[in-house]
Amino acid sequence: MTKKSLERNIKLYGWFQIMREPLFWGPILITYITNIGKMTLPEMYFMESIVVFGMIFVEIYSSAWADLLGRKKTVVLGSFLTLISIILFSLASSPMLIWVANIFIMIGFAIISGTDEAFLVDGLKENGRFDEFTRINGRIMSRRFILIAITSILSGYLYNINPRLPMFLSIPGVLVSLLIAFFFEESKRMQKASHKEHFELMKISVLFVANHKKVKWIIGYIALITVASKLWFFTYNPYFELVEIDPKYFGWIFFVLNIVAWISSKYAYKVEQKMSELAVIIILIALIGIPLILMGTFVSYLAIGFIFLENFTRGFREPFFSSFINKHLDSKNRATVLSIKAAARAFIHSICLFLFGLVLARWQLFESLQVLGIVVLALGVISVWKYKKLFKNN
């Protein structure tokens, strides 16, 4: 890939990532699903667990196909399905439509997973600029957080006017990301392959992951942090309602959350340069496990402040994780291995969603948060111990 093509892809990749997910629904999504979609919180966790489990096979197959048949077409397809899902969410008025919309968006995200990032990583490595990956990715994510922070302010007020408005207004942004995907330029090395070659690459990539202890550890650790964060995110709206906060203020809370994420994302590469990997790993665990326990122990509107700590990790973790795992991958099977990572995370995510749904059905929300925090800290201690054994020279 030429320098000019790389710069063009960096710009396109940046705008694609900024616009690819709904801009207005974050602050009110769970409230929308429970009130307009008429689902209980345990039912929603059950739905997520089933849908996420079904996406495991899509995760593995789609990016293996993208490695051989074309990443651009894969991203376009995933973006189109995401657009369809947002339209369905906007029209939903029953659990059935919420299920269908959720399936579409999960398939869309799974198809895109790892493939979009490959455009950027391949170009940077071909031009000897991979060391810029964390900085570029962090800058892109920080811009997205700023945009989401601004649109979040409007979400709560829009929801109070009409609960469907935040959904409808999210459609144009996703449409723009679909149009951007048509202009990506992929490496000339991409060529069509037979199904036999496709499954052979999948086999090689699975074996690579299975026999690479460091990559397995990275996948497990990333799953711990991201799954715990996702479980926590679904409790935001119910917790706000528990401490009697008016929905119109949800957007302002999310505004601050995204400003925190923006700051941490913007300076992720500087933090990474000044701190050891072990220190970062420990901090990410602590900033999720401890606040969860505190929110469950001290139930009040003031406890919402603990959510800010998790959003610091949200902004920092993606640039850090992407840089970390890409150091261990070759270009020829990068998208496939990244997709296997996503599939493994999805499997763990599915199980945890189901289990946490059972916890919520049995215990109060604040008690469930305490349980989640204790589990995160316990698994975090094990992760740090394993890290020290596998990454002795880091």
Side-chain angles (χ1 to χ4, degrees), residues 99-148:
W99 269 89
V100 175
N102 203 29
I103 289 172
F104 268 96
I105 200 167
M106 287 293 187
I107 293 176
F109 283 0
I111 288 175
I112 294 172
S113 177
T115 307
D116 55 343
E117 188 177 285
F119 283 109
L120 179 61
V121 173
D122 279 346
L124 290 173
K125 285 203 169 185
E126 288 176 21
N127 285 268
R129 294 172 56 185
F130 179 70
D131 58 335
E132 299 178 39
F133 178 79
T134 302
R135 179 177 61 83
I136 293 173
N137 211 29
R139 184 178 66 228
I140 291 169
M141 294 301 295
S142 68
R143 290 172 179 172
R144 172 166 175 75
F145 289 135
I146 282 292
L147 180 59
I148 293 177

Side-chain angles (χ1 to χ4, degrees), residues 34-97:
T34 54
N35 293 328
I36 307 303
K38 300 177 177 61
M39 298 185 75
T40 67
L41 193 59
E43 286 174 344
M44 192 200 67
Y45 273 95
F46 175 72
M47 174 187 69
E48 285 290 308
S49 69
I50 298 300
V51 174
V52 169
F53 182 78
M55 293 308 103
I56 295 173
F57 305 101
V58 180
E59 289 276 11
I60 295 176
Y61 183 84
S62 63
S63 284
W65 178 81
D67 271 330
L68 294 167
L69 303 182
R71 293 170 179 171
K72 181 175 178 178
K73 292 179 181 178
T74 303
V75 173
V76 168
L77 175 60
S79 300
F80 176 74
L81 293 175
T82 301
L83 176 63
I84 295 300
S85 74
I86 305 306
I87 294 174
L88 291 174
F89 267 118
S90 301
L91 301 172
S93 58
S94 66
M96 177 62 71
L97 280 177

Side-chain angles (χ1 to χ4, degrees), residues 43-260:
E43 286 174 344
M44 192 200 67
Y45 273 95
F46 175 72
M47 174 187 69
E48 285 290 308
S49 69
I50 298 300
V51 174
V52 169
F53 182 78
M55 293 308 103
I56 295 173
F57 305 101
V58 180
E59 289 276 11
I60 295 176
Y61 183 84
S62 63
S63 284
W65 178 81
D67 271 330
L68 294 167
L69 303 182
R71 293 170 179 171
K72 181 175 178 178
K73 292 179 181 178
T74 303
V75 173
V76 168
L77 175 60
S79 300
F80 176 74
L81 293 175
T82 301
L83 176 63
I84 295 300
S85 74
I86 305 306
I87 294 174
L88 291 174
F89 267 118
S90 301
L91 301 172
S93 58
S94 66
M96 177 62 71
L97 280 177
I98 293 292
W99 269 89
V100 175
N102 203 29
I103 289 172
F104 268 96
I105 200 167
M106 287 293 187
I107 293 176
F109 283 0
I111 288 175
I112 294 172
S113 177
T115 307
D116 55 343
E117 188 177 285
F119 283 109
L120 179 61
V121 173
D122 279 346
L124 290 173
K125 285 203 169 185
E126 288 176 21
N127 285 268
R129 294 172 56 185
F130 179 70
D131 58 335
E132 299 178 39
F133 178 79
T134 302
R135 179 177 61 83
I136 293 173
N137 211 29
R139 184 178 66 228
I140 291 169
M141 294 301 295
S142 68
R143 290 172 179 172
R144 172 166 175 75
F145 289 135
I146 282 292
L147 180 59
I148 293 177
I150 295 172
T151 57
S152 291
I153 295 175
L154 300 174
S155 295
Y157 294 101
L158 291 170
Y159 183 86
N160 268 7
I161 295 172
N162 187 315
R164 298 186 188 278
L165 270 179
M167 298 296 174
F168 282 122
L169 292 178
S170 294
I171 294 174
V174 178
L175 176 60
V176 169
S177 71
L178 170 61
L179 297 176
I180 291 173
F182 282 100
F183 294 94
F184 276 130
E185 182 177 336
E186 57 186 319
S187 174
K188 293 181 179 179
R189 69 176 179 80
M190 302 295 292
Q191 56 183 339
K192 291 187 176 182
S194 66
H195 285 289
K196 181 179 180 181
E197 290 172 316
H198 160 70
F199 285 111
E200 186 63 27
L201 179 58
M202 287 179 61
K203 179 181 177 181
I204 292 172
S205 298
V206 170
L207 289 174
F208 170 79
V209 173
N211 293 293
H212 201 301
K213 292 183 178 180
K214 290 185 178 180
V215 172
K216 283 194 295 184
W217 181 91
I218 294 171
I219 290 174
Y221 178 78
I222 290 176
L224 170 63
I225 299 300
T226 56
V227 170
S229 295
K230 189 66 175 290
L231 294 177
W232 191 0
F233 172 77
F234 286 159
T235 68
Y236 283 10
N237 286 173
Y239 195 91
F240 296 165
E241 294 173 4
L242 179 65
V243 296
E244 300 181 344
I245 295 178
D246 192 299
K248 68 182 179 182
Y249 298 121
F250 289 7
W252 285 101
I253 296 172
F254 273 74
F255 169 78
V256 178
L257 295 180
N258 282 287
I259 290 297
V260 171

